Amino acid sequence: MAFFDKLKKDLTTAGQITAEKAKKAADILALKDQIRQDKMEIRDLTNKIGQTYIELHRADYEEAFEDLFTTLEATEEALAQKEKELEIMSEKITCVECGTEMPASSKYCSNCGTAVPYETELKEEETLESEEKIEDVSE
């Protein structure tokens, strides 16, 4: 009987220790989640403060922010240029021989090697000519 009494006591103790560790682990996870949420809120508020400052002072910023505003403007211009390039690169045409989609700027199909039809090249030339005319008129 002493064996079963000792076994019961050991199992009870082990169960209590396991329950305490599980509660501690749950408390740690809850606290880590609260910390993560607080950090996200701080990041969001900091972002909103920055956006508000930019909106209010884009034209009349303080000298301490000059480098940041200059970098921001250059980055925005570079982003706009890259988005234009992506738009141009994303335009697709279909190969008349094999049906493979390819960028509109392609001269040959990357799948079968067929030359892009002359009609596509004419359309590109017409687009360039119309852009030149618009530039001439605006000058």
Side-chain angles (χ1 to χ4, degrees):
M1 288 289 213
F3 172 75
F4 289 114
D5 289 338
K6 184 174 181 332
L7 182 61
K8 180 181 174 185
K9 182 180 175 187
D10 289 346
L11 287 175
T12 303
T13 304
Q16 289 172 345
I17 291 171
T18 303
E20 288 173 10
K21 286 184 178 184
K23 184 183 180 322
K24 184 177 179 180
D27 291 344
I28 288 172
L29 287 175
L31 190 56
K32 283 183 175 182
D33 186 53
Q34 291 172 358
I35 290 170
R36 183 187 57 79
Q37 289 177 0
D38 288 347
K39 285 182 176 182
M40 284 176 44
E41 186 174 353
I42 289 169
R43 186 191 70 225
D44 292 345
L45 290 170
T46 302
N47 189 20
K48 286 179 184 176
I49 290 169
Q51 289 295 331
T52 303
Y53 186 87
I54 289 170
E55 290 170 8
L56 294 174
H57 300 286
R58 186 177 277 275
D60 64 338
Y61 50 84
E62 297 173 20
E63 189 176 319
F65 293 98
E66 184 171 357
D67 289 341
L68 294 173
F69 272 97
T70 303
T71 303
L72 175 63
E73 289 172 8
T75 304
E76 287 173 339
E77 289 173 9
L79 175 63
Q81 181 63 32
K82 289 173 186 169
E83 286 174 338
K84 270 186 192 176
E85 289 177 25
L86 179 61
E87 186 178 317
I88 291 168
M89 291 173 72
S90 296
E91 291 181 25
K92 303 279 185 190
I93 58 173
T94 303
C95 176
V96 294
E97 282 297 313
C98 68
T100 300
E101 280 194 353
M102 57 189 159
S105 60
S106 297
K107 300 288 183 199
Y108 298 94
C109 175
S110 60
N111 186 45
C112 68
T114 302
V116 172
Y118 184 66
E119 296 171 14
T120 305
E121 294 173 7
L122 283 176
K123 287 179 185 176
E124 289 178 0
E125 287 178 16
E126 289 172 6
T127 303
L128 290 174
E129 288 174 2
S130 64
E131 287 176 0
E132 289 174 359
K133 289 179 183 177
I134 291 171
E135 288 176 3
D136 291 340
V137 171
S138 65
E139 291 175 357

